[in-house]
Amino acid sequence: MTTTDRRLHIVVPYRDRAAHLRDFVPRVGAYFATLADPIDYRVTIVEQEAGLPFNRGAIKNVGFLLGEAESGYTCLHDIDYLPVDADYSWVDRPTPILSFGAERRPVAPGRSDQTVTTDLESTMGGVLLMPNDVFRRIDGYSNAYWGWGYEDFDLSLRIRSRRIPTARRPGRFEPLDHDNEGFNPDASASAISRVNKRVFQANWAGGTLPEEDGLSSLSFEILDRRPCDGVDPAAAGRWEIVRVRLTMAPLPGQLAAFKAR
């Protein structure tokens, strides 16, 4: 393998989580700085501009494209998980590494005592390592899920539909609490979650990978690029924030649910 084949590109979808960003950058930087077996890595924090509902899958697709040529595998990393004990080394198949520390999360911290539980032994969300060629093979994430939810379920079916083997690594993370837009304070499904469930069901009604939905249909513009605050000077060249505009449109139902929040 070449040096590029073993290089890790960490993609972090981001919007309106400044406090989480301030925690994430130094914590992840310090974690990689102390690894016994160093990993050559880069981090791209992809910030979706304000206006349209957040599209986590599409933003991850953008990040993948920005680093594909300079890496061999990608980590799709949510900003609200900080590594405590996790293995980010090379993988040859899709490999979630979030196993412990985030099983139960509050729905609305400070406003509700309701929680939601995630089966971290089955999810493809949170922190996922993926060889770049496999990500290409499944056409990345769907771009269809605006607002909240179902892009990870969709990704799981993309992998399964191509009969691609997966693996799991036990990894412990510290979660950062925030309002969960998939649920109301009483833990019932939010309006946008219900809309995206219908989108998911329609997309997979035929039981096969939807065509022209993913990397192949992604449309975006780069608005600006800037360095990250809080990065150790020795690693400054490894981190970048890229602000983008998605030049695609949500469905009317997704937009209505977003505006009615």
Side-chain angles (χ1 to χ4, degrees), residues 163-217:
R163 298 183 179 179
I164 296 170
T166 62
R168 290 191 177 271
R169 286 179 182 167
R172 186 174 299 279
F173 288 77
E174 176 188 341
L176 300 176
D177 291 340
H178 59 88
D179 284 357
N180 189 324
E181 294 190 14
F183 298 90
N184 298 314
D186 64 359
S188 61
S190 66
I192 190 59
S193 176
R194 296 193 300 271
V195 171
N196 280 339
K197 182 177 181 179
R198 293 194 292 271
V199 172
F200 173 77
Q201 291 170 335
N203 281 355
W204 288 95
T208 58
L209 180 66
E211 296 183 1
E212 297 298 318
D213 175 26
L215 295 171
S216 60
S217 63

Side-chain angles (χ1 to χ4, degrees), residues 11 13 48 54-64 76 135 139-147 149-152 155 214-215 218 246 248:
V11 173
Q48 182 182 333
F54 191 54
N55 189 322
R56 192 162 151 267
I59 290 299
K60 288 182 178 182
N61 284 341
V62 171
F64 172 80
L76 295 314
F135 199 73
D139 203 20
Y141 283 87
S142 169
N143 300 317
Y145 303 101
W146 298 80
Y150 286 90
E151 71 280 343
D152 291 329
L155 186 78
L215 295 171
L218 183 66
L246 296 177
M248 306 175 293

Side-chain angles (χ1 to χ4, degrees), residues 74-115:
T74 299
C75 178
L76 295 314
H77 204 309
D78 287 354
I79 200 167
D80 54 340
Y81 292 110
L82 307 180
V84 176
D85 183 13
D87 181 0
Y88 289 86
S89 63
W90 163 258
V91 296
D92 62 1
R93 61 194 63 195
T95 304
I97 62 173
L98 172 61
S99 300
F100 305 102
E103 296 86 346
R104 185 180 295 274
R105 301 291 300 275
V107 168
R111 298 188 295 116
S112 169
D113 60 1
Q114 296 294 317
T115 60

Side-chain angles (χ1 to χ4, degrees), residues 5 8 24 28 30-31 35 58 60 112 120 132 165 172 174 186 195 211 214 227 234 236-237 253:
D5 289 334
L8 171 63
F24 184 89
V28 172
Y31 189 84
L35 290 177
K60 288 182 178 182
S112 169
L120 297 180
N132 287 358
R172 186 174 299 279
E174 176 188 341
D186 64 359
V195 171
E211 296 183 1

Side-chain angles (χ1 to χ4, degrees), residues 238-251:
R238 298 182 183 272
W239 291 75
E240 183 180 33
I241 299 176
V242 182
R243 191 167 65 96
V244 302
R245 172 180 299 147
L246 296 177
T247 52
M248 306 175 293
L251 296 172

